[in-house]
């Protein structure tokens, strides 16, 4: 590709299931704006092999980097966060930096101008870019407010009880957080532990990047984007929503059965429940949620993952749910439990889906709202607490619980209540559905024609890259 007028774009998503689809979709959008552009997705061989790109996917090169998780005390073959328990995450984040020499070797072998677009957790790629005169962009697959607050919380450690239960963020005093919104491992962080050190590095690298792309919409998150500008020192480009293709294959169950079941229910009547690709609630919470669902009297489709700290490979234990729960709700045609990977985007797009009980992962929020489906929030970790704040501010979310520790209690009555409010013919429910429709239209408008705000933004970004590498 020497002599090509476009930069060679090297996409480098973090090794986590939720991060890769957005990078793939970004590759497609780059191709639409610059047909013929060379885009390479870099990851581990196993992750690349697991991608099943549809034949219609725009041309993308794949480049595999060697990765040996066992060298870092991790299970061999574990090269995605989804393969690990939470307590192994920090070792995994640290291990991921061992990709650096191979990544650097790949970048230095490209003869045309290079633009690296890397995950925030691969911030060290900014140093690689500098050494090889490449342009460096950070692509945040999460939302603007969520990331700005998450980084800021990491920068101001420790969060001790002395601060009280509620405290304003030093960087952004108008943002007031409650202790229950600080992930447990951040509450435990002293500043001198491995997590603190890791995030200190991530944040310091943020300040070396040349540009920031964010999976959000300018009109919906202008204040969050402003906060991010202060974090990174450059004006972020809002290029969202960037959504996964609805065709992600699912291995472990019968999708057709799910859609037959949904087809048999009235419009907007079903509550969809999922806590994302790597989180789960604890066994007591599962039981209480199940009882609340029964009490709500509404149909539900629940993607079950084993409770916190347990492994799906050990099988599902009946004691995680109230006795007879699955049989009772199945017989009444009221409940469908899905074990494994659910076709989430297609479920949210189905007319029978009326609300989404979600851990508020950013992809989940975008996927729900772009289909006009309001959210019952149960944030569990990372920046999910702050994503939930954004959705509450948009008027499309009520929070039912926070966290998945033993200390986070959810009451059956609260579940039934929230489900009734959001899905029922209540004033609040109607307002949330209307607001979700407004957000959905804003998301469509962002990519409608060349004048949509995200189309303008991605074009602006490319222009900036082309000028700087010329
Ligand atoms: N997802 C899915 N089926 C599942 C669980 C998750 O398709 O059973 C997809 C979901 O559609 C979303 C992504 O996985 O695109 C999860 O991303 P999110 O940011 O919501 O949460 P994370 O998993 O990163 O915590």
């Amino acid at each position: 590709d020497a002599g090509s007028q476009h930069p060679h774009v090297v996409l480098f998503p973090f090794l986590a299931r939720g991060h890769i689809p957005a990078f793939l979709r970004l590759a497609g959008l780059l191709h639409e704006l610059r047909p013929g552009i060379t885009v390479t997705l870099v990851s581990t061989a196993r992750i690349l092999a697991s991608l099943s790109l549809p034949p219609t996917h725009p041309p993308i090169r794949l480049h595999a980097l060697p990765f040996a998780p066992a060298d870092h005390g991790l299970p061999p073959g574990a090269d995605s966060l989804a393969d690990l328990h939470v307590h192994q995450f920090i070792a995994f984040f640290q291990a991921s930096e061992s990709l650096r020499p191979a990544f650097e070797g790949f970048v230095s072998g490209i003869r045309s101008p290079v633009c690296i677009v890397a995950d925030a957790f691969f911030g060290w790629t900014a140093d690689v870019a500098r050494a090889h005169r490449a342009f460096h962009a950070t692509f945040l697959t999460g939302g603007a407010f969520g990331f700005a607050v998450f980084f800021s919380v990491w920068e101001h450690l420790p969060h001790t009880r002395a601060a009280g239960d509620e405290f304003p963020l030093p960087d952004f005093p108008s943002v007031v957080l409650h202790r229950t919104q600080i992930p447990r491992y951040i509450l435990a962080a002293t500043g001198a532990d491995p997590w603190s050190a890791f995030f200190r590095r991530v944040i310091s690298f943020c300040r070396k990047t040349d540009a920031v792309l964010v999976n959000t919409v300018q009109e919906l998150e202008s204040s969050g984007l402003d906060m991010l500008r202060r974090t990174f020192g450059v004006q972020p480009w809002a290029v969202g929503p960037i959504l996964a293709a609805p065709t992600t294959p699912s291995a472990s169950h019968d999708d057709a059965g799910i859609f037959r079941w949904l087809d048999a229910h009235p419009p907007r009547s079903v509550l969809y429940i999922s806590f994302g690709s790597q989180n789960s609630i604890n066994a007591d919470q599962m039981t209480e949620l199940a009882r609340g669902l029964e009490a709500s009297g509404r149909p539900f489709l629940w993607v079950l993952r084993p409770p916190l700290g347990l492994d799906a490979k050990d099988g599902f234990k009946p004691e995680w749910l109230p006795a007879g729960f699955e049989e009772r709700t199945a017989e009444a045609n009221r409940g469908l439990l899905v074990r494994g990977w659910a076709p989430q985007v297609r479920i949210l797009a189905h007319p029978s889906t009326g609300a989404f009980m979600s851990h508020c992962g950013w992809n989940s929020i975008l996927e729900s709202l772009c289909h006009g489906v309001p959210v019952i929030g149960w944030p569990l970790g990372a920046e999910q607490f702050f994503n939930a704040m954004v959705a509450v501010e948009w008027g499309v979310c009520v929070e039912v619980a926070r966290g998945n520790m033993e200390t986070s209690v959810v009451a059956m009555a609260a579940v039934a209540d929230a489900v009734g409010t959001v899905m029922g013919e209540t004033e609040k429910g109607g307002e949330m559905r209307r607001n979700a429709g407004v957000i959905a239209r804003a998301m469509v408008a962002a990519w409608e024609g060349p004048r949509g705000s995200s189309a303008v933004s991605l074009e602006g970004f490319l222009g900036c890259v082309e000028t700087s590498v010329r």
Side-chain angles (χ1 to χ4, degrees), residues 127-470:
D127 279 351
V128 175
R130 228 161 246 205
H132 297 276
R133 298 169 165 269
F135 189 93
H136 186 271
T138 304
F139 178 30
L140 300 180
T141 53
F145 180 85
F147 259 106
V149 173
F150 189 61
F151 285 171
S152 174
V153 165
W154 272 116
E155 274 209 296
H156 296 281
L157 297 170
H159 298 280
T160 56
R161 207 168 243 305
D165 276 350
E166 285 203 332
F167 54 94
L169 268 185
D171 296 330
F172 310 108
S174 63
V175 178
V176 176
L177 298 182
H178 190 270
R179 279 180 64 79
T180 52
Q181 292 174 300
I182 309 286
R184 190 184 49 124
Y185 62 106
I186 305 186
L187 274 181
T190 58
D193 54 289
W195 274 119
S196 306
F198 175 78
F199 274 100
R200 227 179 358 259
R201 269 171 69 67
V202 165
I203 294 167
S204 72
F205 281 126
C206 285
R207 297 184 173 132
K208 294 185 173 182
T209 194
D210 299 314
V212 186
L213 297 167
V214 197
N215 190 2
T216 195
V217 176
Q218 177 67 49
E219 292 80 356
L220 295 177
E221 269 216 289
S222 56
S223 68
L225 286 160
D226 231 47
M227 289 162 66
L228 263 191
R229 180 179 50 76
R230 290 173 49 193
T231 309
F232 281 84
V234 290
Q235 182 61 44
W237 304 97
V239 295
I242 292 183
L243 302 166
T247 48
T248 328
S250 49
S252 49
H253 56 82
D254 173 18
D255 283 2
I258 293 177
F259 293 102
R260 267 197 308 278
W261 188 89
L262 280 172
D263 287 343
H265 284 87
R268 284 194 175 272
S269 67
V270 173
L271 173 67
Y272 169 60
I273 305 160
S274 167
F275 299 104
S277 64
Q278 58 212 21
N279 277 288
S280 61
I281 52 179
N282 71 47
D284 290 343
Q285 291 169 333
M286 275 175 84
T287 305
E288 206 59 19
L289 170 56
R291 293 175 58 217
L293 291 174
E294 280 201 278
S296 79
R298 291 182 190 272
F300 61 87
L301 194 171
W302 183 358
V303 187
L304 277 186
R305 288 173 62 86
L308 192 64
L310 298 175
D311 198 323
K313 291 189 229 31
D314 301 331
F316 284 84
K317 307 250 180 332
E319 64 264 26
W320 296 337
L321 294 169
F325 170 76
E326 185 165 14
E327 297 72 19
R328 261 193 321 278
T329 51
E331 250 164 53
N333 198 25
R334 276 219 27 241
L336 181 66
L337 301 184
V338 174
R339 292 171 171 82
W341 190 253
Q344 172 162 311
V345 176
R346 289 174 60 210
I347 292 170
L348 288 167
H350 194 285
S352 300
T353 303
F356 181 10
M357 185 181 288
S358 168
H359 73 311
C360 300
W362 191 246
N363 292 295
S364 292
I365 299 249
L366 294 180
E367 288 162 5
S368 197
L369 295 176
C370 82
H371 293 103
V373 174
V375 175
I376 298 177
W378 186 338
L380 298 177
E383 60 358 317
Q384 295 149 21
F385 301 96
F386 321 127
N387 296 341
M389 290 170 79
V390 173
V392 168
E393 179 153 326
W394 285 342
V396 296
C397 175
V398 295
E399 265 189 85
V400 70
R402 276 179 196 157
N404 50 11
M405 295 297 121
E406 290 67 33
T407 47
S408 317
V409 278
V410 60
M412 153 194 165
V415 171
D417 212 52
V419 175
T421 303
V422 175
M423 302 192 72
E425 290 313 314
T426 63
E427 196 178 319
K428 174 85 181 164
E431 196 183 295
M432 285 174 76
R433 288 187 285 273
R434 274 193 303 282
N435 290 339
V438 171
I439 304 276
R441 282 190 289 284
M443 286 183 178
V444 170
W447 278 112
E448 216 161 34
R451 288 224 280 268
S453 64
S454 289
V456 168
S457 200
L458 190 58
E459 180 60 48
F461 164 73
L462 273 174
C464 170
V465 175
E466 284 156 356
T467 314
S468 109
V469 298
R470 189 164 289 147

